[in-house]
Amino acid sequence: MSMSIVDSEVRGRVEFDLAELHGAVVDPGMDSMRLLSETAMAFPDALSFSSGAPHDGNHDLSRLSVHLERYLRHLRETGVPERRIRRLLFQYGPVNGFIQDEIARMLVRDEDIHVPAEAIMVTHGAQEAMLIALRGLCTSPGDVLLSVSPTYVGIVGAAKTLDIPVKAVHEGPHGLEPEAVRAAAREVRAEGGRPVACYLVPDFANPTGTRLSEQARRELLQVAAEEGLLLLEDNPYGLFAAEGDQLPTLKSLDDKGCVLYLGSFAKSAFPGARIGYLVADQPVTEADGRVRPLAAVLSKVKSMISVGSSSIAQAVVGGILVEHDYDLRSATRELARTYLERLAATTSSLTEHFPAQRYAEHGVRWNTPRGGFFLVLEVGFTADLAAMERCARDYGVSWAPMSMFHVDGGGDRAMRLGFSNLSTEDIREGISRLARFITETPRTA
Ligand SMILES: Cc1ncc(COP(=O)(O)O)c(C=O)c1O
């Protein structure tokens, strides 16, 4: 920094060397998603399996004001005076938000999660909930976050931003293995650290699409209780199981307070709202002896990050909740069917292009999730960003290199295919283009 100041005296401008900035800015891993979307955007005609954007066919501008009006009507019907409604919408609002009652009702209906509204914090997407939870929980340099690996880039980014080390717990074919979590926690302790929490997406994970069995969920809760470990359960995709195929969330099975639950309206409503939430009902005794849920205590952190979440966006999401009688699972049935059709189109196209003996020839394998937005396709060559760029430019189809999602290396020969925002026709065409790319790319040792 001092060099820059000297430079500035000479040239009259403050300039920075990248090395003078925090690791979160310098780390290439922090930039991977931007690079990925820029590469995909450089080829606008390519069919994109590279993002996890939700289906946008139902996004209707006229609905925004309808949702907002619905929420205002709800407030009036519940006897909130006009003056308070005006203040709620226009002024700085409560730090933890004002739609917690509606979210609490939704959690009961959709997930059988029973928590008081005070145990919920409305956040600027699940991303802010991750940042706030980690900030509150990790207190010293020896504190370590365990994370399933491969994992969602947002959690690793949040941890890096806060200088919290992340230890990978490698996922098995059916998701995170409880005994692997125990082993990782013990390793951290043996090295003098404190394993604080373990992050996972039990339902249709990003990036692998895997789902943890109910038995594994129960075992994981047992391991967490025995090891004194919290579980950060991130659940943006759980609503998109097939009818009758839903599994209980960790939070709904948790009777010991081991789970902090991260929610997002990005996929159940729309990502532009930037509304998510944190459920943290663990009791905390404050300096004055008052006992309050962790989410309420963490509001001090939120107040210094974002002051509060957008009142307009909360009202729109609140309107959606009221309109559907707090039952987003039923409200998103049609959407869930669309995603399941897209998943089926992806796997059936892969099967069509890679019948048994061609699998072996080209080293191609994929998993078949039961829902969600993603699956993983393994190939016989390095599937990095350069390969993706070549694929987008020469074959007209893009995807995400799996190596971007690995916490400690790996995934070099695998792609994440996100099929959520492609029609079934585009999926079939895209997989056919991808198959040509794969068969024309030489296998490497
Ligand atoms: C695992 C996971 N968590 C959370 C989110 C959404 O977060 P947000 O609510 O910040 O948009 C996503 C979206 O891609 C995700 O895949």
Side-chain angles (χ1 to χ4, degrees):
M1 184 70 190
S2 55
M3 279 303 291
S4 305
I5 299 296
V6 172
D7 285 353
S8 80
E9 282 166 9
V10 176
R11 287 179 287 183
R13 269 177 64 97
V14 174
E15 287 183 17
F16 289 99
D17 219 46
L18 205 52
E20 294 173 295
L21 301 175
H22 187 264
V25 183
V26 181
D27 190 320
M30 297 288 282
D31 227 13
S32 57
M33 293 317 280
R34 185 186 59 80
L35 280 175
L36 178 65
S37 63
E38 276 182 14
T39 310
M41 268 155 42
F43 303 98
D45 295 334
L47 294 168
S48 174
F49 287 95
S50 56
S51 96
H55 169 57
D56 52 17
N58 303 332
H59 292 167
D60 177 351
L61 282 173
S62 68
R63 298 296 302 165
L64 288 177
S65 52
V66 173
H67 299 318
L68 180 60
E69 280 301 329
R70 183 67 194 88
Y71 190 69
L72 298 183
R73 183 148 58 86
H74 164 74
L75 291 177
R76 288 177 188 127
E77 283 166 2
T78 46
V80 181
E82 206 60 25
R83 212 159 45 90
R84 176 156 159 66
I85 296 176
R86 240 193 359 259
R87 209 171 336 117
L88 210 52
L89 268 290
F90 286 107
Q91 276 292 5
Y92 289 106
V95 173
N96 276 13
F98 56 77
I99 57 167
Q100 295 95 315
D101 275 322
E102 288 81 4
I103 294 174
R105 293 179 70 169
M106 174 201 77
L107 286 170
V108 171
R109 294 206 65 169
D110 284 349
E111 306 294 352
D112 196 24
I113 292 173
H114 300 256
V115 286
E118 217 203 338
I120 298 171
M121 172 193 282
V122 182
T123 56
H124 190 81
Q127 187 62 36
E128 191 193 27
M130 291 176 204
L131 199 69
I132 291 169
L134 290 180
R135 181 60 297 151
L137 296 173
C138 295
T139 57
S140 67
D143 287 357
V144 175
L145 173 70
L146 309 183
S147 172
V148 64
S149 179
T151 192
Y152 178 53
V153 289
I155 190 71
V156 177
K160 278 187 180 152
T161 301
L162 298 170
D163 286 322
I164 297 166
V166 181
K167 183 175 177 64
V169 187
H170 297 261
E171 185 179 281
H174 307 294
L176 197 61
E177 288 163 357
E179 285 309 314
V181 174
R182 188 196 301 281
R186 291 184 176 180
E187 254 174 63
V188 170
R189 261 188 230 108
E191 287 159 9
R194 182 176 75 112
V196 174
C198 181
Y199 169 87
L200 73 157
V201 185
D203 287 281
F204 314 127
N206 180 3
T208 57
T210 53
R211 181 168 70 155
L212 217 57
S213 70
E214 184 169 341
Q215 166 85 357
R217 289 171 200 238
R218 292 185 187 278
E219 285 170 17
L220 191 57
L221 285 164
Q222 186 67 28
V223 166
E226 286 166 7
E227 296 295 322
L229 197 63
L230 290 164
L231 298 173
L232 298 185
E233 176 179 33
D234 186 8
N235 187 22
Y237 305 108
L239 287 184
F240 306 119
E243 191 93 45
D245 190 37
Q246 180 190 354
L247 289 181
T249 58
L250 288 167
K251 187 67 194 162
S252 68
L253 298 172
D254 176 29
D255 56 6
K256 297 196 173 65
C258 293
V259 180
L260 267 70
Y261 184 87
L262 306 162
S264 171
F265 288 101
K267 317 293 162 155
S268 53
F270 56 99
R274 303 307 308 128
I275 294 290
Y277 56 94
L278 172 68
V279 178
D281 56 340
Q282 294 75 5
V284 181
T285 307
E286 296 203 90
D288 61 4
R290 257 197 325 159
V291 178
R292 293 199 302 157
L294 179 59
V297 175
L298 287 175
S299 76
K300 297 181 192 88
V301 181
K302 179 169 169 73
S303 74
M304 292 302 159
I305 294 179
S306 60
V307 182
S309 295
S310 155
S311 57
I312 310 293
Q314 287 188 75
V316 169
V317 169
I320 293 173
L321 290 172
V322 172
E323 195 174 314
H324 296 291
D325 200 19
Y326 312 99
D327 181 355
L328 285 194
R329 192 168 288 277
S330 299
T332 53
R333 268 308 77 205
E334 191 54 44
L335 192 57
R337 274 193 284 276
T338 299
Y339 291 134
L340 288 161
E341 274 167 26
R342 291 175 181 190
L343 167 62
T346 309
T347 53
S348 67
S349 302
L350 284 167
T351 308
E352 188 186 314
H353 288 283
F354 290 97
Q357 105 271 11
R358 287 185 85 191
Y359 278 48
E361 242 174 76
H362 297 284
V364 174
R365 267 190 344 180
W366 62 89
N367 64 340
T368 305
R370 294 173 69 96
F373 284 23
F374 309 103
L375 62 76
V376 177
L377 177 66
E378 290 176 33
V379 294
F381 53 86
T382 301
D384 56 10
L385 203 56
M388 192 284 258
E389 188 170 344
R390 192 167 66 79
C391 183
R393 186 185 54 237
D394 300 342
Y395 294 84
V397 60
S398 67
W399 35 268
M402 273 300 289
S403 50
M404 289 181 173
F405 307 102
H406 281 255
V407 175
D408 58 353
D412 297 338
R413 291 166 168 245
M415 308 167 175
R416 184 192 73 177
L417 299 187
F419 44 77
S420 48
N421 199 22
L422 284 173
S423 68
T424 50
E425 296 72 39
D426 282 348
I427 287 171
R428 292 205 181 90
E429 174 58 26
I431 296 294
S432 144
R433 294 180 191 183
L434 188 59
R436 211 158 59 73
F437 169 69
I438 290 169
T439 47
E440 291 175 10
T441 302
R443 267 189 93 165
T444 49

